[in-house]
């Protein structure tokens, strides 16, 4: 057996994802002749480097333009009509680099700018508030070869849009306050406090944080690790972006507190590639914390506790938000979810005990360490303590970040953000629940509507089939391809839905789609596949008429247009008479 | 708990023993119970990707090849509902690739095809994907026809865990998954794959085939002409019990 166990990339051996980003940046693609030398430098198999390149959306085998623009295709922060407009202005085809190599344009999954869209990424920078006018200016800047750094700075302004504050956003936390309180007690007592607070994972699954820390602390290993999941990829979610930009101290404090609790000396912040623009800011906060002795060798003067945090940046793969896929990605591999059990708390990063927590969870943990369990538990419901940050977007007056105690009704939230004609709300993003108007009295809490924080609102004028089609395309694009139900099932669901949307679907197609949807949901390997069919199933259950009115009134319709398929033959035989066509 | 049940589980009403550390699949195969599977081979690390071995434990979905057996577990396996799920999964694998059995030298020896028969599959049912995948004929002894690959990763694991090499890997994402070769050119001819490698012979479909020996066994006398897939896979499980972890 000559397969090496994965090793931690150290300071003298950079991370594969970072190296590939560097190559992509330098050559605008990953040149074939760079792969073997890179594999040698990193002491990885060539096939591993190849497979990573082909897994992540942001790495390409053919050169992208000097200006590479990726338009979000999210229902909240995307506008593909604008993308087509810019393609026309610059005479470029989507996905194909212009022959002079200057520019390439494509679409990408939600980039987390849902409260200030439409938005795009240009060479790792984010531009929001797109308009036809702004696109004309951008086209001029590109044709004039103006470096992106010299484009008007107001293009790159990203707002925080905090509309309602609660426990976390309202309560000040002096730098080091959480850590000082944590280090004043035994780690067992600290874990007890976190358990007492009732804090549950904010990524959506809602596992009790204190228990996770306890299991990890108790697990045997040569090292323990803290990993912050900042791969905020659920369409419609952007609350972690605000915590990363405005509350990074609290986040790193939470990671350090977790490190103390479980006995770890190394933490990783896994940041989604779309948020790469935040790296300089985050690095400066880390440097500041080192100076303040809140990170590094002798934290707060205590010789026996040291902790470091490293930032690893993803490269366009929603699946890496799944914790075990994230760990695979951290280990310089494709982001394919692991078989569980064993769980990361016992066999995580490098097979060692690892705590993987969401950004918001760690911020909350830092506050709880400082303020105590009762402070947190005073808000929320019996099974959902504390508050939740919601990312609200879509058809409402004031999109942005809203913090509420758990247990708030959806209607209350909709009233606050001015969603006066909401017909449907996607709670928890595409992997969550499509809620119809009749159910707006439901509450946001683990007991009822669990949510990682994405609230996408659709008014009466919206075509819900188009929305669900968008989500279904998203999942087919993001499936990692490990298991049969998801790898084959998500593209099949896309085919059925496209057929129905195009007016070629029959009642039989709808029944087959529903049967397949249930199989994908029940039999897939991980959370992606298990939720990918939710939008279709919710649509059929709560809005059956949306699908019904598109159906053909016949028993069977093939998936392809036979007459159109004959077009090549007609051209080759120079025929276009009536008999060369099917009736 | 009743001590008699302490190290037994129940599959479709049949009580069978297990030892600590065994998966449901291990215990089932040892007891002569067939759970359909494609990506699993005793002796290799379980993968859990094809999902053919999907079973239900009190209504909960698990993969038998990866899920640890535990005392008193009630497993549903050979039920009409689960076999319908498995048939659909086989159909999905058929439409995903380009599986044209009559033209494939593996016909009659192919586990995918045999499972199609076993589960009563009469058609591909779903719209075919017709993927465009590269054929690699650069190796003197073997051909890699990716059209027929089902991403089971048996070749990947056999090469790593038994052959002590690292010839194959899975690459790409989602429907673009495909097997790649770990050589500077990416070609099989430049890899260190040799005749005696398990990886060269483990493919359950016709994606990795030997060269220069087409139709040596006549149709009608091939594996699944003479045995059902259940008989064949149970026999293999009983023959190969040693593990190749080191």
């Amino acid at each position: 057996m000559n397969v090496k166990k994965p090793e931690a990339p150290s300071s003298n051996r950079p991370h594969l994802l970072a190296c590939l980003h560097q190559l992509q940046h330098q050559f605008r693609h990953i040149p074939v002749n760079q792969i073997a030398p890179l594999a040698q430098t990193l002491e990885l198999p060539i096939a591993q480097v190849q497979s990573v390149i082909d897994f992540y959306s942001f790495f390409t085998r053919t050169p992208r333009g000097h200006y590479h623009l990726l338009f979000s295709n999210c229902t909240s922060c995307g506008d593909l009509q604008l993308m087509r407009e810019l393609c026309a202005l610059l005479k470029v085809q989507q996905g194909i680099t212009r022959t002079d190599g200057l520019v390439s344009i494509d679409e990408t999954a939600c980039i987390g700018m849902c409260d200030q869209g439409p938005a795009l990424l240009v060479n790792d920078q984010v531009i929001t508030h797109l308009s036809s006018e702004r696109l004309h200016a951008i086209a001029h800047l590109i044709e004039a070869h103006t470096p992106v750094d010299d484009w008007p700075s107001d293009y790159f302004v990203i707002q925080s849009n905090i509309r309602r504050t609660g426990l976390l956003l309202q309560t000040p936390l002096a730098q080091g306050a959480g850590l000082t309180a944590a280090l004043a007690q035994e780690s067992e007592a600290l874990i007890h406090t976190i358990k007492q607070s009732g804090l549950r994972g904010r990524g959506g699954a809602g596992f009790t944080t204190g228990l996770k820390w306890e299991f990890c602390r108790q697990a045997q290993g040569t090292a323990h690790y803290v990993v912050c999941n900042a791969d905020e990829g659920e369409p419609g979610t952007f609350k972690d972006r605000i915590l990363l930009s405005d509350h990074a101290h609290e986040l790193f404090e939470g990671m350090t507190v977790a490190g103390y609790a479980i006995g770890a000396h190394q933490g990783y912040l896994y940041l989604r590639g779309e948020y790469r623009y935040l790296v300089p800011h985050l690095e400066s906060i880390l440097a500041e914390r080192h100076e303040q002795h809140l990170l590094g060798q002798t934290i707060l003067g205590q010789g026996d506790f040291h902790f470091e945090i490293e930032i690893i940046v993803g490269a366009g793969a929603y699946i890496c938000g799944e914790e075990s896929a994230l760990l695979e990605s951290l280990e310089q591999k494709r982001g394919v979810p692991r078989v569980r059990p064993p769980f990361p708390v016992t066999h995580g990063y490098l097979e060692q005990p690892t705590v993987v927590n969401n950004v918001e969870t760690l911020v909350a943990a830092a506050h709880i360490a400082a303020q105590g369990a009762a402070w947190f538990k005073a808000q929320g419901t019996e099974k959902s303590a504390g508050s939740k940050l919601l990312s609200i977007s879509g058809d409402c007056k004031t999109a942005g970040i809203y913090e509420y105690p758990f247990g708030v009704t959806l209607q209350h939230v909709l009233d606050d953000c001015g969603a006066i004609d909401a017909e449907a709300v996607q709670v928890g993003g595409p992997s969550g629940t499509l809620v119809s108007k009749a159910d707006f009295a439901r509450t946001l809490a683990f007991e009822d509507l669990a949510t990682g924080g994405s609230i996408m609102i659709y008014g009466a004028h919206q075509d819900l089939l188009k929305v669900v089609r968008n989500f279904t395309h998203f999942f087919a694009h993001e499936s990692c391809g490990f298991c049969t139900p998801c790898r084959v099932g998500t593209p099949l669901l896309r085919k059925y839905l496209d057929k129905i949307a195009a007016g070629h679907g029959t009642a039989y197609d709808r029944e087959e789609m529903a049967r397949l949807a249930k199989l994908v949901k029940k039999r897939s390997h991980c959370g992606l596949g298990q939720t990918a069919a939710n939008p279709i199933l919710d649509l059929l259950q709560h809005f059956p008429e949306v699908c019904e009115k598109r159906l053909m009134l016949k028993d069977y319709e093939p998936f392809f247009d036979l007459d159109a398929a004959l077009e090549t033959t007609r051209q080759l035989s120079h025929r276009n008479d009536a008999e060369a066509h099917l009736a | 708990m009743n001590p008699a049940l302490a190290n037994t589980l129940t599959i479709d009403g049949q009580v069978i023993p297990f030892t600590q550390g065994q998966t449901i699949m291990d215990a089932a195969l040892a007891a002569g119970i067939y759970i359909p599977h494609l990506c699993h081979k005793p002796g290799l690390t379980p993968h859990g990707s094809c999902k053919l071995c999907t079973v239900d434990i009190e209504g909960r979905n698990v993969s038998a090849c990866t899920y640890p057996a535990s005392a008193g577990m009630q497993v549903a396996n050979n039920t009409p509902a689960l076999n319908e799920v498995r048939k659909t999964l086989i159909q999905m694998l058929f439409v995903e690739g380009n599986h044209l059995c009559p033209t494939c030298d593996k016909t009659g020896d192919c586990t995918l095809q045999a499972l199609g028969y076993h589960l009563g599959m009469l058609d591909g049912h779903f719209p075919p994907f017709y993927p465009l995948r590269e054929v690699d004929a650069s190796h003197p002894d073997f051909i890699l026809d990716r059209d027929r690959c089902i991403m089971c990763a048996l070749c990947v694991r056999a090469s790593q865990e038994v052959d002590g090499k690292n010839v194959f890997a899975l690459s790409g994402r989602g429907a673009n998954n495909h097997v790649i070769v770990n050589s500077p050119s990416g070609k099989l001819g430049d890899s260190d794959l040799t005749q005696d490698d398990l990886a060269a012979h483990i493919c359950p479909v016709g994606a990795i085939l030997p060269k220069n020996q087409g139709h040596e066994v006549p149709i009608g006398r091939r594996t699944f002409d003479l045995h059902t897939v259940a008989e064949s896979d149970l026999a293999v499980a009983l023959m190969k019990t040693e593990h190749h972890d080191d």
Side-chain angles (χ1 to χ4, degrees), chain B residues 133-149:
Chain B
R133 297 184 190 151
E134 200 184 342
V135 175
D136 181 348
S138 60
H139 195 281
D141 301 319
F142 298 98
I143 184 162
L144 174 60
D145 185 345
R146 293 181 173 90
D147 274 357
R148 301 167 185 153
C149 177

Side-chain angles (χ1 to χ4, degrees), chain A residues 48 86 90-91 163 216 268 316 333 344 372 422 440 529 548:
Chain A
Q48 184 173 338
L86 188 66
L90 289 164
K91 297 188 174 55
R163 312 293 187 190
C216 187
Y268 292 99
K333 294 183 279 189
F440 285 175
E548 183 74 35

Side-chain angles (χ1 to χ4, degrees), chain A residues 9-19 38 41-42 44 310 332:
Chain A
S10 57
S11 48
N12 51 14
R13 193 183 287 161
H15 196 279
L16 175 59
L17 288 178
C19 297
L38 177 62
T41 309
L42 300 182
L44 295 172
E310 192 181 334
Q332 316 188 93

